[in-house]
C-alpha cells in the first residue's frame, strides 16, 4: 500500500472511529453481535453480469441490526436475513423438522427431499463445520455447523432452491442456489434474532451466495452496503452503481481467516497517533458496534472524550482477543465496497437514504 493511500485510509478510519451515538445506544449491548442475514437479488442482462440493489431495514439502536428481504422457493416465500460480511454461509430457519428454532418473523423454510445437497457436492467441502469433512457415501446429506463470535450457532444441512432476483435490466431471474437449512439454533440471548429468519453471508468464500451468483455470470464478485445513520440504507451486488471517482481504495488482506480486512492499520486521534500500530482490522456488517482489542481500546480512551459515547467497545472482554472490528456504527453514511474481483476495499461518503436508480429491488 502506498504511503499516501495508507494515510488516506488511516484518516478515514479515524473518522469512522469518532462516530458517536447516544449513551443509551452505546450501552445497548456489551457483546459482539452477529446478526441474521437474508437472501439476495442480483441483476443481469443479455450482455453479461449486471447489478441489483436491495433496501436495507433496521438501525443501530434500538433494533441493533440491519437486514434485507429475500424470496426463496417456488412459489416464492419471503424471509428476512441479517446482512453479514463476516461470514460466507447463508442460512434460514428450517422445518426439517426443527430441533430448536426461535420465533422468527416468518414460518421456517420447509425443504423437499429433492432439494438436499449431497456430500459429494463441491460446496459441501466449502461449508463451515466443527468436525472434519468426510463423505463416506456420495448421496449422504451435507451437514454444516457454524458458530459466531457471540456464541450463537446454527446447525443444519445444505439445500438448493430458487431465489427470485430482480435484475437491473428489469428482468426476473430465478437461479438455483445452495444455502443452509438451519434446524437447530441457539446460544444467544439477544431478542434481535426475533426480527430475522436467518443470515445472509456476504463473505468471499465459495459457499457464499455472491460467489455462486458470480459463477452463474449474473453479477460480478462485488458487493457493498450504504447504511444510513437515520436507519435503513441499501445493499448491492455487482459494480454498476459504484461511483467512477471519489472512492478511496485499499488492498484487501489475503488472510483467509478474516473476511474483508484492509490489513494492519494505525489509529490517529485528531492528528496524534495513539501509539498502537499494525492493528488487524476487519469490516463486519454483522457487528452492531466497533470493537478494539484491550491495548488499543485503553490507549484510545485515555486520549480523552469526556462523557461522549463512541459506540466503541472493548473486544477483549467479549472474547475477540486481538481482533479489531469496524462495525455498523462506524460504517454509517458511507458506501462501502468489497471488490473480490480486484481484491480491494473502497469507501466514499454517500447519501444512504435514497436507493440508486440502477437495479432497485422490488422485493
Amino acid at each position: 500500500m502506498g504511503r499516501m493511500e495508507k494515510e488516506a485510509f488511516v484518516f478515514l478510519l479515524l473518522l469512522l472511529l469518532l462516530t458517536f451515538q447516544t449513551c443509551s445506544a452505546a450501552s445497548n449491548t456489551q457483546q459482539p453481535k452477529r446478526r441474521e442475514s437474508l437472501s439476495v437479488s442480483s441483476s443481469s442482462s443479455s450482455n453479461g453480469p449486471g447489478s441489483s440493489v436491495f433496501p436495507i431495514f433496521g438501525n443501530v439502536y434500538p433494533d441493533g441490526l440491519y437486514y434485507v428481504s429475500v424470496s426463496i422457493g417456488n412459489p416464492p416465500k419471503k424471509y428476512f436475513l441479517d446482512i453479514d460480511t463476516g461470514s460466507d454461509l447463508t442460512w434460514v430457519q428450517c422445518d426439517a423438522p426443527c430441533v430448536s428454532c426461535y420465533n422468527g418473523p416468518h414460518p421456517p423454510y420447509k425443504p423437499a427431499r429433492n432439494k438436499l445437497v449431497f456430500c459429494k457436492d463441491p460446496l459441501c467441502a466449502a461449508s463451515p463445520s466443527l468436525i472434519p469433512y468426510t463423505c463416506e457415501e456420495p448421496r449422504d446429506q451435507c451437514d454444516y455447523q457454524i458458530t459466531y463470535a457471540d456464541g450463537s450457532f446454527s446447525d443444519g444441512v445444505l439445500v438448493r432452491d430458487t431465489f427470485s432476483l430482480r435484475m437491473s435490466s428489469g428482468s426476473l431471474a430465478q437461479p438455483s442456489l445452495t444455502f443452509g437449512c438451519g434446524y437447530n439454533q441457539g446460544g444467544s440471548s439477544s431478542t434481535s434474532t426475533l426480527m430475522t429468519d436467518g443470515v445472509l453471508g456476504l463473505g468471499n468464500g465459495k459457499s457464499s451466495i455472491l460467489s455462486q451468483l458470480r459463477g452463474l455470470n449474473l453479477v460480478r464478485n462485488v458487493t457493498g452496503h450504504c447504511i444510513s445513520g437515520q436507519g435503513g440504507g441499501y445493499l448491492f451486488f455487482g459494480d454498476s452503481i459504484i461511483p467512477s471517482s471519489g472512492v478511496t481504495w485499499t488492498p484487501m488482506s489475503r488472510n483467509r481467516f478474516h473476511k474483508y480486512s484492509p490489513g494492519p492499520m494505525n489509529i490517529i486521534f485528531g492528528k496524534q497517533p495513539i501509539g498502537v500500530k499494525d492493528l488487524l482490522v476487519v469490516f463486519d456488517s454483522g457487528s452492531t458496534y466497533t470493537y478494539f482489542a484491550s491495548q488499543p481500546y485503553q490507549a484510545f480512551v485515555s486520549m480523552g472524550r469526556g462523557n461522549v459515547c463512541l459506540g466503541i467497545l472493548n473486544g477483549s472482554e467479549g472474547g475477540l482477543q486481538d481482533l479489531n472490528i469496524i462495525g455498523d456504527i462506524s460504517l454509517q453514511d458511507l458506501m462501502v465496497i468489497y471488490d473480490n474481483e480486484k481484491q480491494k476495499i473502497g469507501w466514499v461518503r454517500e447519501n444512504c437514504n435514497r436507493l440508486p436508480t440502477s437495479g432497485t429491488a422490488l422485493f
Side-chain angles (χ1 to χ4, degrees):
M1 187 187 309
R3 181 174 180 269
M4 294 300 293
E5 187 178 30
K6 187 164 185 176
E7 287 182 352
F9 178 79
V10 170
F11 176 71
L12 179 85
L13 182 59
L14 169 64
L15 293 180
L16 298 179
L17 298 178
L18 292 183
T19 302
F20 38 83
Q21 300 286 316
T22 64
C23 289
S24 58
S27 61
N28 185 42
T29 179
Q30 287 293 320
Q31 294 297 322
K33 183 189 290 184
R34 307 302 300 205
R35 298 172 269 131
E36 277 122 292
S37 318
L38 43 85
S39 333
V40 179
S41 296
S42 237
S43 54
S44 70
S45 68
S46 58
N47 297 324
S51 293
S52 186
V53 180
F54 315 88
I56 288 177
F57 307 95
N59 48 61
V60 168
Y61 183 83
D63 294 342
L65 80 164
Y66 291 91
Y67 62 94
V68 292
S69 176
V70 189
S71 296
I72 305 175
N74 190 12
K77 295 183 179 179
K78 183 181 294 186
Y79 300 93
F80 292 164
L81 301 181
D82 185 1
I83 57 175
D84 186 9
T85 58
S87 64
D88 294 334
L89 183 70
T90 291
W91 61 269
V92 297
Q93 290 210 114
C94 185
D95 184 8
C98 276
V99 174
S100 176
C101 291
Y102 54 82
N103 184 22
H106 300 99
Y109 169 82
K110 192 172 183 64
R113 178 167 289 277
N114 64 358
K115 301 298 184 182
L116 285 175
V117 171
F118 297 133
C119 67
K120 67 178 180 180
D121 191 291
L123 287 183
C124 185
S127 66
S129 179
L130 301 179
I131 57 177
Y133 169 76
T134 59
C135 186
E136 297 178 358
E137 297 292 335
R139 295 183 66 83
D140 283 349
Q141 67 185 28
C142 178
D143 299 309
Y144 78 85
Q145 298 174 306
I146 186 168
T147 301
Y148 299 103
D150 65 351
S152 61
F153 65 87
S154 174
D155 300 336
V157 297
L158 292 192
V159 294
R160 185 175 288 116
D161 208 340
T162 55
F163 280 59
S164 297
L165 311 176
R166 183 64 64 181
M167 308 303 184
S168 56
S169 63
S171 63
L172 177 67
Q174 291 186 305
S176 182
L177 302 175
T178 297
F179 59 100
C181 164
Y183 56 74
N184 183 32
Q185 281 69 244
S188 175
S189 59
S190 173
T191 57
S192 66
T193 55
L194 301 179
M195 301 178 63
T196 59
D197 301 294
V199 171
L200 180 61
L202 300 176
N204 54 16
K206 293 181 180 179
S207 64
S208 75
I209 292 293
L210 181 64
S211 295
Q212 294 181 61
L213 291 173
R214 180 64 179 95
L216 295 172
N217 201 37
L218 287 175
V219 300
R220 298 193 186 281
N221 200 341
V222 178
T223 187
H225 49 73
C226 197
I227 297 172
S228 172
Q230 300 177 26
Y234 59 87
L235 170 75
F236 61 91
F237 294 95
D239 57 0
S240 67
I241 71 166
I242 298 174
S244 58
S245 62
V247 180
T248 299
W249 293 100
T250 188
M252 189 181 297
S253 171
R254 297 186 181 275
N255 187 331
R256 66 186 181 90
F257 295 106
H258 300 296
K259 309 299 181 185
Y260 300 136
S261 171
M265 290 293 136
N266 303 335
I267 301 177
I268 298 174
F269 186 97
K271 296 184 178 180
Q272 181 179 355
I274 69 171
V276 182
K277 299 181 179 180
D278 298 328
L279 301 178
L280 177 61
V281 175
V282 175
F283 284 14
D284 185 3
S285 68
S287 178
T288 305
Y289 298 105
T290 288
Y291 294 87
F292 282 173
S294 182
Q295 183 182 7
Y297 177 80
Q298 296 299 336
F300 186 74
V301 171
S302 67
M303 297 298 292
R305 288 302 287 165
N307 293 322
V308 173
C309 294
L310 297 173
I312 301 173
L313 305 178
N314 189 336
S316 298
E317 295 179 353
L320 294 179
Q321 298 178 347
D322 294 330
L323 186 60
N324 301 276
I325 292 178
I326 305 300
D328 295 330
I329 198 169
S330 300
L331 298 175
Q332 295 175 110
D333 300 316
L334 292 171
M335 175 188 281
V336 182
I337 307 152
Y338 309 96
D339 189 335
N340 296 304
E341 301 267 347
K342 299 179 181 179
Q343 288 291 295
K344 60 182 183 179
I345 298 175
W347 55 85
V348 61
R349 286 287 175 189
E350 194 67 49
N351 181 359
C352 300
N353 296 316
R354 296 183 303 179
L355 290 177
T357 56
S358 172
T360 300
L362 301 183
F363 298 107

